[in-house]
Amino acid sequence: EFCLNCVVKSRGLSGNAEVQYRSVNINVNGREVKFPCQLFINGEFVDCENGKVLTSIDPSNEKIICEVQCASKADVNKAVKAAKNAFEKGEWSKISARERGQIMYKLADLMYQHREELAIIESIDSGAVYTLALKTHVGMSIETWRYFAGWCDKIQGSTIPVSHARPNRNLTITKKEPIGVVGLITPWNYPLMMLSWKMAACLAAGNTVVIKPAQVSPLTALKFAELSVKAGFPPGVINVLPGTGSEAGHSLASHLDVRKLGFTGSTEIGQVIMRTCAESNMKKVSLELGGKSPLVIFADCDMDKAVRLGMQSVFFNKGENCIAAGRLFVEEKIHDEFVRRVVSETKKISIGDPLNKSTSHGPQNHLAHLNKLLKFVEMGLEDGAVLEYGGKRLNRPGYFFEPTIFSHVEDSMRIAKEESFGPIMIISKFRNGDIDGVIRRSNITEYGLASGVFTKDINKALKFAEKIDAGTVFINTYNKTDVAAPFGGFKQSGFGKDLGAEALNEYLKTKCITMEY
Ligand code: TAP
């Protein structure tokens, strides 16, 4: 059901503006939700130049939710022009850092007021179960905006003692400056959270932004655009362009007026992005890419916790989690018991309608991804791994896939090396007491995003943490990310950090000023 000419009021820096948009209004379980379905450029919701649309599908029932305008190269050019203008001449360039922070706090408050609506939209668009969408997808997004809002007026340079050109004296200071127009390209697994992780740091640093969310899950980004108007961001500071990677994404990565590209997605596309950034205008780039994170479970662990968190390390957000444990190494002594217990617990997982509060496992994000997971299972069987549980699509509408467990996985098997990005547990055994061996095997992968270890022996845990080549190490916990802690990978999982103070550096440049007196 479409409602023409909705109005959103902005009480922002430029007065009380009214912005009109065409909205999608739907009733979900007796609740009205409403969001825009057009591109957001220069503070206005507009149709795309070439009349193309994306079709959003609810993965829990395969029904069409709505059509969304699909950005072309011409739209990207328009958005970048608006962002450049906002950066160089607009209100945004004139206000103080503290005022910038106030607008970001206001946005966070609005997101909090609309948290249930955002969680419903995220749930129907991405298949995330509502409770998780509310707590993590939306909850952590709000925290991210608050965290970076607090940084705005704390970004500062330094004074540096340089040698004097005698008899004169010299003084050197550094300034941290925004880079300019930033392009962001994000994946579909945590649509609003990936937007927030990148955009909050980017705006706190004073840049302006054009984001292209993943084409399969763009709806919360559009709701976010509406809220950004209400919060009072000046026109052009935030531009949201749903579109395809090959056209809108590529146009953004290759644009000569974009000076920084922040990307989260697969390693394969990360390589394309890095090449495009280099060849176009040598824009700064940060890449959060794929992973195959090892989780090592020693016999001296707290077994109940290892079973519970071992399952979460794989099945959280139906496995569509970049730091998901891609491989579990279990010490021989407890291997059989561990497998038995995870299989029995996995059987109890409630799969179903993600909006139902008692559901803990929703559908996969989209059909192509589900099909990829079915192929992954075939690959495991072909290579001789033992399928302990699951592996099939559920016989009901929606892209439901059973949580799956493989054991007896050897290092040479393809499922030991490739990322599934789905709820597939890959269990390998290691010899009793062979710490060095299991660390070596954990490091074989070309990825280096995250890792984990379960043991009560602090020596083993710290040795693992020291030797593992991954950007994140969890000890006796898993998935414990926080807005204040830096997050990002090593090796082919990319470079650059999201979250924490370090993330600001991705969106700043250091200017060095030397004076003589
Ligand atoms: P990708 O296929 O790499 O897509 C990511 C984004 O890049 C999408 O918006 C995509 O557009 C766009 N894109 C595709 N081709 C492009 C091109 N030539 N130029 C510019 N942009 C292009 O990844 P995905 O399937 O969405 O997400 C899954 C992957 O992301 C997994 O490997 C996962 O590990 C990784 N991931 C990593 C992290 C972190 S923090 N390291 C977090 C989440 C996910 P479309 O919408 O057209 O596809």
Side-chain angles (χ1 to χ4, degrees), residues 185-189 194 212-215 243-246 249-250 263-266 269 272-273 288-291 322 419 421 449 487:
I185 299 177
T186 47
W188 42 261
N189 59 337
M194 292 297 108
K212 188 210 87 67
Q215 58 171 305
T244 63
S246 52
H250 179 75
F263 174 78
T264 295
S266 61
I269 301 297
V272 176
I273 298 268
E288 300 284 358
L289 309 175
C322 49
E419 180 185 41
F421 214 51
L449 192 57
F487 179 99

Side-chain angles (χ1 to χ4, degrees), residues 279-460:
E279 281 167 2
S280 53
N281 62 346
M282 202 64 94
K283 55 179 72 64
K284 180 169 167 163
V285 58
S286 49
L287 304 169
E288 300 284 358
L289 309 175
K292 186 75 179 170
S293 303
L295 171 59
V296 175
I297 301 171
F298 285 103
D300 61 0
C301 67
D302 171 341
M303 191 67 165
D304 291 345
K305 198 174 178 189
V307 168
R308 188 166 45 85
L309 293 183
M311 286 171 62
Q312 277 189 30
S313 78
V314 179
F315 300 142
F316 193 77
N317 199 40
K318 6 117 193 180
E320 294 166 2
N321 184 16
C322 49
I323 55 172
R327 252 193 115 176
L328 273 64
F329 292 96
V330 183
E331 196 163 0
E332 208 170 350
K333 240 186 280 182
I334 57 162
H335 175 272
D336 294 355
E337 186 196 347
F338 182 84
V339 173
R340 204 169 44 245
R341 288 185 58 179
V342 288
V343 169
S344 121
E345 290 303 312
T346 300
K347 285 179 182 165
K348 298 180 196 158
I349 293 176
S350 62
I351 309 174
D353 179 359
L355 290 169
N356 187 330
K357 287 186 180 140
S358 64
T359 301
S360 58
H361 190 92
Q364 304 305 139
N365 184 288
H366 55 279
L367 183 60
H369 181 53
L370 171 69
N371 288 333
K372 216 186 100 191
L373 297 179
L374 294 168
K375 286 248 160 55
F376 195 89
V377 170
E378 266 173 42
M379 229 163 56
L381 292 171
E382 275 166 25
D383 290 359
V386 176
L387 180 63
E388 299 276 358
Y389 185 71
K392 293 189 298 297
R393 180 176 181 171
L394 259 65
N395 187 16
R396 56 175 286 171
Y399 308 138
F400 290 94
F401 176 78
E402 291 172 322
T404 296
I405 300 172
F406 274 107
S407 70
H408 296 85
V409 178
E410 303 296 334
D411 296 359
S412 59
M413 294 178 185
R414 287 167 292 173
I415 61 168
K417 298 179 199 163
E418 294 174 23
E419 180 185 41
S420 76
F421 214 51
I424 304 181
M425 187 182 282
I426 305 291
I427 304 176
S428 300
K429 205 185 278 185
F430 70 95
R431 281 206 322 273
N432 289 331
D434 187 12
I435 303 173
D436 292 331
V438 77
I439 292 175
R440 186 186 49 74
R441 290 171 72 196
S442 299
N443 275 330
I444 286 174
T445 170
E446 265 300 302
Y447 291 115
L449 192 57
S451 62
V453 60
F454 281 86
T455 172
K456 284 184 188 151
D457 182 343
I458 188 78
N459 298 300
K460 272 189 218 165

